[in-house]
Amino acid sequence: MGRFDAIHGFRETEKSRWSEASRAILQRVQAAAFSPGQTLLSSVHVLDLEPRGYIKPHVDSIKFCGATIAGLSLLSPSVMRLVHTQEPGEWLELLLEPGSLYILRGSARYDFSHEILRDEESFFGGRRVPRGRRISVICRSLPEEMGPGEPGQPPPAC
Ligand SMILES: O=C(O)CCC(=O)C(=O)O
């Protein structure tokens, strides 16, 4: 699935310049999610999902994204569902409260699809999680074979 098929009701940008306060937060995210040996994509992906927006199940392409995806989920609570790509009966859901950080690595990165549920389906353990506007700030490691300044680097995700 291509990125434009996966995400609905959104706008996005890629940002490499941040205020000092934001930089401090990003540094905490990066220290928590990445090992010192990992190189990150040079810009951070900011995704702004409208209240009716959602993200269909997908696994980020290994062409554009390395072994770790770390997302800071802001504004509206949301539910992220992970489903094993080979064993659809194996799944789990994460309640992403505003300000929460999720980290996809290892099996969660490669063997499970991830999605953000649309408002009508947004429940966690039977509890309704109404969706509003949600902003996510996503850091990714570089695909292993790419150098940091590789020309023509496509936008991250999917
Ligand atoms: O918005 C998010 O936290 C998830 C983004 C996502 O699924 C992606 O960019 O691959």
Side-chain angles (χ1 to χ4, degrees):
M1 181 181 294
R3 67 199 309 278
F4 293 110
D5 304 323
I7 312 180
H8 291 260
F10 71 105
R11 50 190 195 145
E12 65 183 344
T13 187
E14 301 208 18
K15 226 173 133 38
S16 46
R17 299 181 55 195
W18 298 86
S19 69
E20 200 170 315
S22 299
R23 260 205 314 279
I25 293 169
L26 281 175
Q27 274 163 8
R28 285 176 58 202
V29 167
Q30 293 172 357
F34 298 90
S35 59
Q38 284 183 296
T39 310
L40 303 195
L41 285 171
S42 52
S43 54
V44 173
H45 184 195
V46 181
L47 187 60
D48 182 352
L49 270 187
E50 61 189 50
R52 302 186 61 79
Y54 60 97
I55 305 178
K56 287 192 197 166
H58 66 284
V59 178
D60 284 28
S61 165
I62 55 165
K63 281 196 231 155
F64 308 133
C65 177
T68 306
I69 302 165
L72 197 52
S73 200
L74 303 172
L75 299 185
S76 169
S78 59
V79 179
M80 175 176 273
R81 181 186 288 155
L82 304 184
V83 181
H84 198 286
T85 54
Q86 304 301 315
E87 303 280 349
E90 207 179 311
W91 59 271
L92 68 148
E93 288 173 346
L94 308 174
L95 175 61
L96 300 178
E97 296 281 13
S100 60
L101 172 69
Y102 67 84
I103 302 170
L104 300 178
R105 61 159 86 98
S107 185
R109 155 74 178 98
Y110 293 111
D111 302 330
F112 285 75
S113 64
H114 58 277
E115 66 192 287
I116 296 290
L117 302 183
R118 65 179 87 202
D119 181 53
E120 305 90 280
E121 298 171 358
S122 192
F123 288 85
F124 183 76
R127 183 188 127 202
R128 173 102 173 102
V129 180
R131 271 285 319 286
R133 179 186 179 196
R134 170 183 182 269
I135 290 182
S136 49
V137 178
I138 308 152
C139 300
R140 295 182 170 83
S141 60
L142 208 62
E144 276 67 31
E145 67 281 5
M146 270 173 112
E150 192 102 342
Q153 184 177 297
C158 318

